[in-house]
Amino acid sequence: MDITSQRTDGALIVSAEGRVDGANARKFQKAVENVIGDGDSAVVLDMESLSYISSAGLRSILLIAKGLQKRNSKFAVCSLQGPIREVFRIVGFDKIVSIYDSQGDAVKALGG
């Protein structure tokens, strides 16, 4: 699992690559939280290169979202691959977290 980040159009884009599972979910969560700065009011988690996510990974995303909500920061995920999008739908994450087809759509929606 690799995490990269960049700021564009007023939003922090965090990209995840590889797998997020029980073995590295906590490391994933900490890595994402560590790149979020105090001034980041719009955060997009780009999952285009994520090949797998377990329930532990979903929990990490929920905790990241809740932490950002406490700071009044906006949060969205984007570019979910088919199987991962289906997991998000089945567990109801699409009702909890804003999901967009592309990074550009997410940044635009968050007002970045």
Side-chain angles (χ1 to χ4, degrees), residues 39-81:
D40 289 317
S41 60
V43 178
V44 175
L45 181 57
D46 187 329
M47 300 174 70
E48 182 175 18
S49 298
L50 197 69
S51 60
Y52 175 82
I53 190 164
S54 71
S55 59
L58 292 172
R59 181 178 184 277
S60 295
I61 291 173
L62 183 60
L63 292 172
I64 292 164
K66 285 186 175 198
L68 288 166
Q69 184 179 29
K70 286 179 185 176
R71 297 175 24 171
N72 293 318
S73 295
K74 298 174 187 175
F75 176 70
V77 298
C78 71
S79 307
L80 300 174
Q81 298 302 314

Side-chain angles (χ1 to χ4, degrees), residues 58 61-62 65 75-77 88 92-100:
L58 292 172
I61 291 173
L62 183 60
F75 176 70
V77 298
F88 269 62
F93 258 52
D94 57 340
K95 308 280 191 281
I96 299 169
V97 176
S98 298
I99 300 172
Y100 296 93

Side-chain angles (χ1 to χ4, degrees), residues 6-21:
Q6 65 180 12
R7 286 178 177 78
T8 183
D9 296 328
L12 173 65
I13 310 297
V14 181
S15 299
E17 182 178 342
R19 298 173 52 94
V20 179
D21 54 31

